[in-house]
Amino acid sequence: MAKAMPAALCLVTLVLALFLFVGCAARPFYPLPSRFPGEIRQPLETNSPYNIAHRGSNGEFPEETLPAYKRAIEEGADFIETDILSSKDGALICFHDVTLDEITDVGEYKKFVKRKRTYEVQGANVTGFFTVDFTLKELQSLKVKQRYPYRDQQYNGKFSIITFEDFIAVALDAPRVVGIYPEIKNPVFINQHVKWPDGKIFEDKFVEILKKYGYQGSYLSKNWLHQPVFIQSFAPTSIIHISNLTDLPKILLIDDTTMPTQDTNQSYWEITSDSYFNYIKKYVVGIGPWKDTVVPVVNNYILTPTDLVTRAHAHNLQVHPYTFRNEYNFVHFNFHQDPYEEFDYWINTIGVDGLFTDFTGSLHHFKKWTSNLPPNDADADELKASDLLHKISSMINSYTSP
């Protein structure tokens, strides 16, 4: 045994050196593509359901902030998702609510106290501090906080509202190809309250920014694969308007069964009918339904799935349901409080094409652990560091066994 120990230590030293070499090869220091456009980045994976980081990794950081998006990319997101609204002076910002009250510190500023308004939003009167009543400079003076009290509160008040262009820069500066998934948020409301020069509207400014940063091309085209994007909206008229401006792929978002469309006042049942799918597929590549309308829920138990996914696929439409969250109050009882069971159900039983999630890392791990890729040792150059560690452990245990 005494003679075996030096040999074992030599083996450990050798394999650890090998691990460091392969680890460095597997995770090179990529230059930022915005600064070094000639560099080749790892491409987007298109042969499995897309991991869509809903408002970034907002299970960890306050939603739609730079750290939330950067963490989502670190955790393996295929796309980072955002909501686009406008400031009073027409700057496009990343923010979900038309009011600032719930997730910013706007109420703490005496100078803004007279900005509170009541406006009609999607047929209901809403009172609060609206983004459309603040300039970009004013909005960026505010600090954002975590929406849910049961999530990490340590980052409250540390990050600011970002612009659409800030968001795009995060994706373009990623060490691999990462897509963006911006939503044209409340376009009817925004166009009522914000006016741009030359008669342009919200949708025009939105597409202008995408074009400014080189986003172009139909789904899976060479240009699209270089800079992937899905444009999403709950408003069919916005999607149709944008279709006249760009061939980038679009997704029609679908709300609860009780909510009509915000611009055309169509019912859920109308916009999910086969006749409507046959019409809208000229403009979109898919739909983004709330997941509880795809598989109905009663008392937190899922019931028999609807045929929505099957019918959408029959019309060659992708299905990207929202939103998957890890906390027990969001994971239905059928899945035993296990988000991995939920991912398995939606990917392998329901057969969706992408998932909006607040916890990008969890979905990434599930996809990695359940992938049907060939064994890693089929190609030594593709050996993953985690698999190599497992092999190291096996080798050492085998060598030092009595």
Side-chain angles (χ1 to χ4, degrees):
M1 183 66 181
K3 294 181 179 180
M5 286 304 295
L9 289 172
C10 289
L11 177 61
V12 171
T13 302
L14 176 63
V15 294
L16 284 176
L18 177 63
F19 166 69
L20 291 173
F21 173 79
V22 175
C24 291
R27 303 182 71 86
F29 292 99
Y30 292 99
L32 298 180
S34 61
R35 301 174 191 171
F36 301 95
E39 285 293 327
I40 297 175
R41 297 185 292 165
Q42 177 185 340
L44 177 72
E45 182 182 330
T46 60
N47 60 357
S48 67
Y50 293 125
N51 184 344
I52 306 162
H54 181 245
R55 308 179 203 170
S57 184
N58 82 87
E60 299 177 66
F61 288 93
E63 64 187 53
E64 315 215 24
T65 58
L66 288 177
Y69 289 120
K70 290 177 180 179
R71 176 59 61 86
I73 291 171
E74 291 172 359
E75 293 179 337
D78 298 313
F79 288 84
I80 51 175
E81 188 264 357
T82 194
D83 306 278
I84 302 301
L85 289 171
S86 177
S87 65
K88 180 180 181 178
D89 47 349
L92 300 194
I93 60 168
C94 297
F95 203 76
H96 179 268
D97 303 349
V98 292
T99 57
L100 299 160
D101 306 53
E102 186 169 359
I103 66 164
T104 78
D105 58 355
V106 66
E108 298 177 15
Y109 292 83
K110 291 183 179 180
K111 63 181 179 179
F112 294 144
V113 70
K114 294 183 179 179
R115 300 284 183 93
K116 185 169 283 192
R117 302 283 189 275
T118 298
Y119 293 134
E120 182 180 319
V121 183
Q122 292 184 243
N125 286 332
V126 177
T127 299
F129 297 96
F130 289 80
T131 68
V132 295
D133 291 322
F134 291 76
T135 65
L136 176 62
K137 183 177 180 180
E138 290 172 333
L139 289 172
Q140 293 193 314
S141 72
L142 305 176
K143 298 300 181 182
V144 181
K145 61 183 178 181
Q146 176 59 254
R147 181 179 296 270
Y148 298 108
Y150 41 79
R151 291 183 178 171
D152 195 343
Q153 304 295 305
Q154 69 172 307
Y155 302 109
N156 290 350
K158 295 186 177 181
F159 310 119
S160 303
I161 294 171
I162 65 172
T163 67
F164 190 11
E165 296 187 63
D166 294 332
F167 167 79
I168 288 172
V170 174
L172 294 182
D173 286 348
R176 55 186 171 81
V177 174
V178 174
I180 61 172
Y181 209 128
E183 178 186 347
I184 307 168
K185 197 74 178 177
N186 292 97
V188 174
F189 176 80
I190 295 298
N191 282 319
Q192 287 172 344
H193 293 273
V194 183
K195 303 301 177 184
W196 285 272
D198 304 321
K200 292 184 178 180
I201 62 174
F202 184 28
E203 290 87 344
D204 299 328
K205 301 303 293 184
F206 178 93
V207 174
E208 276 183 12
I209 290 177
L210 289 174
K211 288 183 176 180
K212 175 181 176 180
Y213 287 90
Y215 287 93
Q216 59 181 318
S218 58
Y219 182 61
L220 293 183
S221 66
K222 182 178 179 180
N223 286 330
W224 186 87
L225 288 170
H226 180 63
Q227 290 183 202
V229 57
F230 285 109
I231 298 170
Q232 54 172 331
S233 179
F234 283 99
T237 55
S238 281
I239 287 176
I240 293 170
H241 182 90
I242 286 174
S243 294
N244 295 320
L245 304 175
T246 179
D247 61 351
L248 290 169
K250 300 148 202 81
I251 299 290
L252 174 64
L253 297 174
I254 299 174
D255 213 324
D256 187 14
T257 56
T258 63
M259 290 291 293
T261 55
Q262 60 185 260
D263 55 340
T264 58
N265 201 37
Q266 293 170 283
S267 71
Y268 168 87
W269 309 107
E270 183 177 353
I271 64 171
T272 58
S273 66
D274 284 317
S275 61
Y276 193 77
F277 281 169
N278 195 50
Y279 162 73
I280 202 65
K281 71 181 181 182
K282 293 180 287 186
Y283 305 101
V284 303
V285 299
I287 59 173
W290 181 37
K291 65 189 180 74
D292 285 4
T293 63
V294 178
V295 183
V297 174
V298 173
N299 297 326
N300 207 30
Y301 284 95
I302 60 170
L303 305 179
T304 302
T306 67
D307 63 352
L308 183 63
V309 174
T310 300
R311 290 191 298 104
H313 285 167
H315 288 276
N316 200 31
L317 294 170
Q318 296 185 40
V319 181
H320 301 169
Y322 64 90
T323 301
F324 292 83
R325 299 178 169 106
N326 284 11
E327 289 95 354
Y328 75 93
N329 47 327
F330 294 114
V331 180
H332 301 310
F333 292 149
N334 311 64
F335 305 120
H336 311 101
Q337 309 295 290
D338 184 350
Y340 294 103
E341 282 195 34
E342 187 177 32
F343 293 146
D344 180 60
Y345 175 79
W346 281 89
I347 292 173
N348 296 314
T349 300
I350 302 300
V352 298
D353 309 288
L355 301 89
F356 290 80
T357 177
D358 287 359
F359 292 88
T360 313
S362 297
L363 180 54
H364 176 73
H365 290 147
F366 175 82
K367 288 178 60 180
K368 179 180 178 182
W369 296 335
T370 60
S371 69
N372 293 317
L373 296 174
N376 286 322
D377 57 1
D379 184 351
D381 292 335
E382 295 296 323
L383 196 62
K384 298 287 190 282
S386 59
D387 299 310
L388 183 57
L389 276 174
H390 178 73
K391 291 179 180 294
I392 290 171
S393 177
S394 299
M395 290 168 64
I396 294 174
N397 288 338
S398 173
Y399 192 88
T400 59
S401 296

